[in-house]
Amino acid sequence: MMFLSNPAPRHWGRLLRSGIVMVLDAALIVAAFFSALWLRFDFQFSSIPARYLHAHLSHIFWWALLCVIVLAATGSYNCIWRYISIRDLRRLLLGHVTLLIPGLLLVILFRIDMPRSYYAIGYLFSVIGSMLLHVSYRFIWDAYAEIVSRHPKSVDRVMIIGAGSAAQTLIREFAANPDLHARVECLIDDSPGKLRMYLEGIRVVGDRDNIISAAKKYNVNRIIFAIPSATPETRRDILNLCSKTKCKIQVLPSVSQLVNEDVSISQLKDVEVQDLLGRAPISVNLEEIYRYIGGKVVMVTGGGGSIGSELCRQIAKSKPKLLVIFDVYENSLYDIQLELQRTNPDLSLIALVGSVRNTARMEDVLSKYQPDILFHAAAHKHVPLMETSPNEAIKNNVLGTYKTAVAAANAGVKKFVLISTDKAVNPTNIMGASKRLCEMVVQMMNRRSKTEFVAVRFGNVLGSNGSVIPLFKKQIAQGGPVTVTHPDIIRYFMTIPEAVSLVLQAGYYAHGGEIFILDMGEPVRIADMARNLIRLSGFEPDVDIKIVYTGLRPGEKLFEELLMKEEGLQNTANHLIHIGKPIEMDDEKFAEQLERLRHACEKESDEIKTIVAEVVPTYHPQK
């Protein structure tokens, strides 16, 4: 009940402020016309004829009341006084112009006999006085905000990168809101023409090379990157410099993310590691994706996982006829179900618990819902854990994929898309080898059925379950050390939404049998990523937070490959999606090998890695 009653006081407070301005406006109008009469007679009160003084007193209060009514009708008292703008002043001026007509009629109808200068000067004084009154509230508030912000313990000292319109908006918003507890101290801009110039009273003190020294000179503890139009490379380079200052770093969204939106402080976000990668924005053809998914029954296995849940989010935007989410882990399944019901209330959705290893369950679900498209994201993905439980990797990844693929073919699924990994290329671990076997499964099934079976292979995704970023953050929060397996280990990285959008695009290109390979950009050194994350957390690597190298884990490689030597490479309409040529294989022999793998892992054989190496010649398990 207290919450419901809160808006009333704020409403009455606004009416009170507007009422005070109305009274002051009326008083100014009275004073303006008396000043005009006084000026007409050389500021000598005794020289004012009695008839003029009587005429002034007889009509001026009614005129002031009429003025306030007209100004109120034109909306001059409806602005938020703290943020009064040029547009509000134009509305006020329009109200005064509107007053000319009733003013002239009053003079004629009531035959008010006053000097002509009285009307002209009185009107001019009224307009000027009214406009000064209306802006004075903002000036007083800004002065108060400046005094409050000078208290060194209560404010952030801000440096803004960029001296354009976005920076101007932020400076104004900080100045008008002392509750934000921040004061802009300086600006940085690479344009030579802006050096030592002022924007909203804040000086441009240098270019990007001066970021670190300016942060020390002005005792800055917060940096805002405010160049929405900056290229990814420029953004990366400048943010990397900022990360060396130990300041809190925030960024505005890029131009593509600011479409139809105004810049505001509410859009600021803390810098994440992906902001330092400098990759150009991923672009996909949304119309193609919407066209082949819209109106279809789509199923996602592993729909509660990192990739699976993002697949569900993006598929939901394509307006499918029905989205079937399938996962063995009920908690994550429930989370994505609730999220999609909230964000897409018109979406036809069903969430089902089950395992891809359960043949009867898969056959029942697929025959009942008969999806047009199936995205298979269910898999065990943790490399070290699979090394110690290799039979589980084969049961879940390989046999689970095979059972799902057979059930999909029998149910008449039109397109089956397997989510694969770069670890399937020349694998040194059982997880990667199992995913290579999955790729072989979909190629075999594509030749054996009418369903179009394809695989999409990509590297690591930022923020996924089990990725290094959450681990590094946890270690930093605990005061370190941050553990990296090897100083030279590198990985390809992409954000989850980027990877999923490309997976959906690849699904559109699929005709069956392809292994699509996503361009992951430049590889990233994990040690560099750890250092960047430490700096973004306000610490100095190897000084405040130590980095400790622990050695490669079982099955781990220094670098991952995306393309097997014997595959070749074909381009698609999207330069970030390529096609690897299918490897020749004997389907009958492979089917027999799958059966042998099934028997071995069901008996918990200690020789499972040796058997896998016979099936996948490129698999070389580490001793």
Side-chain angles (χ1 to χ4, degrees), residues 195-375:
L195 183 61
R196 299 187 183 88
M197 302 298 284
Y198 287 85
L199 178 67
E200 296 289 328
I202 308 299
R203 191 181 187 189
V204 179
V205 298
D207 57 17
R208 70 176 72 178
D209 294 330
N210 300 106
I211 289 175
I212 297 175
S213 59
K216 293 180 181 178
K217 180 179 178 180
Y218 292 92
N219 197 24
V220 168
N221 62 352
R222 181 176 172 189
I223 298 177
I224 298 175
F225 183 86
I227 315 176
S229 60
T231 64
E233 293 78 13
T234 297
R235 189 185 187 93
R236 175 197 62 203
D237 293 344
I238 293 178
L239 289 176
N240 272 307
L241 286 171
C242 294
S243 70
K244 298 176 182 178
T245 63
K246 294 189 177 181
C247 296
K248 179 181 180 180
I249 309 170
Q250 294 180 300
V251 295
L252 279 173
S254 63
V255 168
S256 61
Q257 297 169 307
L258 278 172
V259 175
N260 299 324
E261 292 187 29
D262 295 326
V263 171
S264 73
I265 288 174
S266 63
Q267 292 169 322
L268 292 174
K269 70 180 186 70
D270 292 343
V271 170
E272 298 287 348
V273 172
Q274 51 262 40
D275 293 312
L276 306 179
L277 297 182
R279 184 187 292 110
I282 298 295
S283 60
V284 295
N285 191 323
L286 293 176
E287 290 185 5
E288 291 177 346
I289 294 173
Y290 291 162
R291 189 161 60 245
Y292 95 91
I293 290 180
K296 304 285 189 6
V297 178
V298 183
M299 179 173 171
V300 179
T301 66
S306 305
I307 297 296
S309 60
E310 181 61 26
L311 273 167
C312 294
R313 292 183 192 98
Q314 295 195 25
I315 290 169
K317 297 177 183 177
S318 305
K319 294 181 171 49
K321 179 180 178 182
L322 173 66
L323 174 58
V324 181
I325 309 177
F326 188 84
D327 201 294
V328 71
Y329 185 45
E330 62 198 62
N331 291 347
S332 60
L333 179 64
Y334 182 63
D335 288 342
I336 188 63
Q337 180 187 30
L338 287 183
E339 177 186 332
L340 293 179
Q341 287 173 341
R342 183 183 71 254
T343 57
N344 299 270
D346 297 329
L347 175 67
S348 181
L349 166 70
I350 185 164
L352 301 173
V353 176
S355 170
V356 295
R357 293 158 63 165
N358 187 331
T359 303
R361 178 62 168 157
M362 293 309 304
E363 290 177 347
D364 178 66
V365 169
L366 286 164
S367 62
K368 182 176 182 179
Y369 295 101
Q370 296 188 322
D372 300 289
I373 307 168
L374 191 153
F375 291 93

Side-chain angles (χ1 to χ4, degrees), residues 114-220:
M114 297 291 287
R116 283 175 292 181
S117 61
Y118 168 81
Y119 300 113
I121 296 174
Y123 177 78
L124 181 62
F125 283 0
S126 295
V127 174
I128 294 173
S130 184
M131 296 187 78
L132 288 175
L133 172 65
H134 281 234
V135 299
S136 64
Y137 188 94
R138 176 164 181 172
F139 280 118
I140 293 170
W141 182 266
D142 287 349
Y144 165 73
E146 179 69 15
I147 293 171
V148 171
S149 68
R150 289 296 169 186
H151 196 293
K153 294 182 180 179
S154 62
V155 300
D156 285 334
R157 300 171 67 88
V158 179
M159 170 194 291
I160 295 181
I161 311 294
S165 57
Q168 183 181 36
T169 301
L170 292 177
I171 294 170
R172 287 177 174 175
E173 199 165 345
F174 277 126
N177 291 274
D179 293 340
L180 295 173
H181 303 294
R183 181 177 70 252
V184 180
E185 296 290 342
C186 61
L187 299 170
I188 294 290
D189 199 286
D190 283 343
S191 174
K194 294 181 180 179
L195 183 61
R196 299 187 183 88
M197 302 298 284
Y198 287 85
L199 178 67
E200 296 289 328
I202 308 299
R203 191 181 187 189
V204 179
V205 298
D207 57 17
R208 70 176 72 178
D209 294 330
N210 300 106
I211 289 175
I212 297 175
S213 59
K216 293 180 181 178
K217 180 179 178 180
Y218 292 92
N219 197 24
V220 168

Side-chain angles (χ1 to χ4, degrees), residues 5-18:
S5 65
N6 280 342
R10 291 197 292 269
H11 175 71
W12 286 110
R14 181 172 61 83
L15 290 179
L16 177 62
R17 286 191 292 271
S18 296

Side-chain angles (χ1 to χ4, degrees), residues 555-570:
E556 191 170 44
K557 293 192 290 185
L558 276 179
F559 62 94
E560 300 291 358
E561 306 160 89
L562 291 175
L563 186 65
M564 297 180 71
K565 292 180 180 178
E566 61 266 42
E567 284 183 316
L569 196 67
Q570 298 176 28

